[in-house]
Amino acid sequence: MSYREPVSDRSSEVTESPKESAEDAAFRAEARAWLEANAELRTGKDDWSLQRHHTDPEALRAYFERCRDWQRTMFEGGYAGISWAQEYGGRGGTSQQARIFKEEMAAFDVTAGFIDSTITMLGAALRFHGSEEQKRHYLPRLLSGEDAWCQLFSEPGAGSDLAGLAARAVRDGDEFVINGQKVWNSMAQAADWGFMVVRTDPDVVKHAGLTFILVDMTSPGIEVRPLVQAHGASHFNEVFFSDVRVPAANVVGEVDDGWAPTRTVMAAESQFIGGGTGDDIAQNLIDIARRVGSDGDPVARQELVDTWVRQKISGWMATTMMLAVRRGEQPPFSGALLKLFMAENRRRSGDLAVRLLGPAATVDVDPDADWAQLQLINRFSISIGGGTTEVGRNNVGERDLGLPRDIRVDRGIPWSEIPRS
Ligand SMILES: Cc1cc2nc3c(=O)[nH]c(=O)nc-3n(C[C@H](O)[C@H](O)[C@H](O)COP(=O)(O)OP(=O)(O)OC[C@H]3O[C@@H](n4cnc5c(N)ncnc54)[C@H](O)[C@@H]3O)c2cc1C
């Protein structure tokens, strides 16, 4: 039994499409033909597009650059930013076409990796809050992968409470001078640019004195320190800023009104994570169970079916949301709900991957063990990244269930007067 069957004919199992119009069917055929001409079909364990934990920094960098190359190939072929306006480098198509392309691409051994998430996040911030000049300059470079970006939001004292952040930017003529520290910045070691939120006015309430600014990562005074994770790879970094000078023209939106683009990024990030990776995790687990002879085990069978059912439900939820958005209607549930559900699914499937393989999951270095280790160690990435599950539940409780608001001891107090360690 192969580690992974070719997925060419089963992407629809993960996200089922609604009945397609003739135009959409024609677009699907065109996209498929382009992909066949430009990419190889996925075959299994040797696929480079499978997410792995590269412990060698050179290998990680090479993987990142390969993802960037694929982004450039899609851009040149007219398949990047499918629903974005043409003047910003997009195709001028529909969000349904964007989804069709994603479904078709899932059958091929290609990925834009982390770059895809930054296109979603920064793309949303620039399109909603950027000046016309910023959109025309940055969006095509973002879509083509010419500029690779990182998110510079979290700080040692500000994650869930992001608006409490302390990195300071002080105006000096046509520039801002930035000092402070960010942390957990994915792939900052490979990024050309960062989108950052900084404090420009400490004497107003915490959400009011923030500014969203674009920073050239080669600017003097920036130090990027990779953080080594449990599996030996360095996806995250600490980034230190010492008197870093950034043109005031790089501010997105208004000075002191950076919370608006920041919220746009967080909403786009949450939606991106909720959309899943397209990986057929349930099928991978079933393949492993067959290989190790656990598919007849009564407990393993219960858990395999549970994983499959959950994956089906999250696929249907994602489709329901997409259809509502397409019809211009309010989705029947919030994006936060989908992310909460996915986070729980990922936790369960990570645990199951390791239970199926037993000790081999942690000591072997074959592709099954490699994949299982990644599922185990990364199983909390969705429940922490882009906002934690606990904070997500608070938000759903307040907005959807009308529960009393979470305790906020700093309400109405200027940021500079809030006690901090
Ligand atoms: C895979 C991944 C990628 C990431 N990438 C980036 C990136 O590129 N750029 C970036 O800036 N950051 C990034 N982050 C950081 C991420 O945004 C933060 O880890 C997250 O916002 C949580 O903040 P924190 O780690 O400071 O935890 P804290 O906010 O300190 O939370 C600690 C614990 O307290 C709980 N908690 C906090 N407040 C409440 C509350 N009000 N009610 C109930 N429980 C609460 C939390 O749920 C959590 O369990 C990434 C994180 C992950 C896991």
Side-chain angles (χ1 to χ4, degrees):
M1 173 60 60
S2 70
Y3 173 75
R4 239 172 168 227
E5 302 288 344
V7 292
S8 54
D9 59 352
R10 61 168 208 231
S11 57
S12 62
E13 284 183 22
V14 185
T15 49
E16 291 190 2
S17 304
K19 196 169 173 355
E20 237 157 55
S21 66
E23 294 80 44
D24 284 345
F27 175 80
R28 187 182 288 280
E30 181 197 317
R32 179 81 187 195
W34 182 84
L35 282 161
E36 279 167 359
N38 288 279
E40 301 293 324
L41 276 175
R42 283 196 187 194
T43 54
K45 62 184 181 182
D46 295 327
D47 288 346
W48 79 267
S49 59
L50 284 179
Q51 201 195 359
R52 293 200 172 85
H53 44 278
H54 296 283
T55 49
D56 171 16
E58 294 298 316
L60 183 67
R61 185 65 191 233
Y63 180 78
F64 185 83
E65 291 305 327
R66 197 164 173 182
C67 291
R68 193 204 293 250
D69 283 348
W70 174 244
Q71 186 61 40
R72 188 176 304 123
T73 304
M74 286 193 292
F75 181 75
E76 287 167 358
Y79 290 99
I82 288 174
S83 61
W84 292 22
Q86 286 177 341
E87 61 262 40
Y88 305 137
R91 184 186 175 94
T94 63
S95 51
Q96 173 64 359
Q97 288 176 338
R99 188 171 184 87
I100 288 172
F101 185 76
K102 202 174 165 190
E103 283 172 12
E104 289 301 319
M105 199 177 102
F108 291 84
D109 187 20
V110 283
T111 177
F114 177 70
I115 288 175
D116 199 16
S117 68
T118 55
I119 289 175
T120 304
M121 291 189 282
L122 181 61
L126 283 172
R127 286 190 295 152
F128 287 113
H129 306 278
S131 66
E132 193 54 33
E133 199 181 338
Q134 286 172 334
K135 288 185 217 178
R136 287 183 185 271
H137 176 74
Y138 291 110
L139 288 176
R141 299 166 66 96
L142 171 68
L143 270 187
S144 67
E146 183 174 348
D147 296 335
W149 291 79
C150 64
Q151 184 197 55
L152 301 166
F153 281 13
S154 307
E155 297 184 4
S160 301
D161 180 25
L162 182 60
L165 63 85
R168 274 288 269 135
V170 177
R171 184 87 185 230
D172 182 19
D174 289 342
E175 294 177 319
F176 279 96
V177 181
I178 301 179
N179 282 284
Q181 184 200 340
K182 297 289 176 179
V183 72
W184 309 127
N185 312 110
S186 307
M187 295 313 299
Q189 71 270 54
D192 308 301
W193 284 79
F195 48 96
M196 183 172 187
V197 57
V198 287
R199 187 158 303 283
T200 35
D201 186 350
D203 297 321
V204 291
V205 291
K206 62 183 183 180
H207 294 88
L210 300 171
T211 297
F212 191 99
I213 194 162
L214 309 178
V215 181
D216 180 345
M217 292 298 283
T218 61
S219 309
I222 296 183
E223 189 190 346
V224 179
R225 292 188 202 159
L227 291 163
V228 182
Q229 293 159 248
H231 50 43
S234 293
H235 174 76
F236 302 115
N237 299 269
E238 296 177 300
V239 183
F240 295 84
F241 294 80
S242 308
D243 291 330
V244 177
R245 304 190 79 86
V246 181
N250 291 13
V251 169
V252 176
E254 300 297 322
V255 172
D256 294 337
D257 192 24
W259 192 240
T262 302
R263 279 182 62 113
T264 301
V265 167
M266 291 193 293
E269 183 178 21
S270 181
Q271 219 168 40
F272 180 85
I273 296 172
T277 59
D279 278 354
D280 198 341
I281 289 175
Q283 189 62 47
N284 283 347
L285 290 169
I286 293 163
D287 287 349
I288 289 177
R290 286 199 179 116
R291 264 185 11 83
V292 300
S294 293
D295 53 336
D297 177 274
V299 176
R301 289 162 65 97
Q302 293 290 320
E303 295 189 71
L304 287 170
V305 175
D306 182 59
T307 305
W308 181 81
V309 167
R310 286 169 170 274
Q311 184 169 295
K312 279 282 184 195
I313 293 173
S314 61
W316 287 326
M317 286 173 78
T319 303
T320 304
M321 284 203 83
M322 186 268 292
L323 283 174
V325 170
R326 224 173 93 197
R327 289 193 295 260
E329 294 168 4
Q330 188 69 20
F333 46 82
S334 71
L337 209 64
L338 182 55
K339 184 172 178 288
L340 286 174
F341 188 59
M342 299 268 295
E344 175 61 13
N345 296 352
R346 181 63 75 86
R347 184 189 68 73
R348 287 169 179 244
S349 57
D351 288 347
L352 179 57
V354 173
R355 266 203 305 281
L356 286 172
L357 283 173
T362 46
V363 292
D364 279 10
V365 288
D366 68 22
D368 277 351
D370 200 44
W371 184 79
Q373 284 161 23
L374 193 67
Q375 300 309 305
L376 179 79
I377 294 170
N378 264 4
R379 72 199 191 288
F380 294 121
S381 61
I382 303 187
S383 61
I384 301 175
T388 69
T389 286
E390 291 76 15
V391 172
R393 286 191 188 126
N394 279 346
N395 293 340
V396 170
E398 290 171 22
R399 288 180 204 151
D400 299 345
L401 307 183
L403 298 180
R405 289 181 70 89
D406 191 20
I407 299 160
R408 290 186 184 112
V409 291
D410 52 15
R411 194 189 301 273
I413 302 174
W415 178 83
S416 53
E417 292 172 26
I418 300 170
R420 62 180 53 80
S421 56

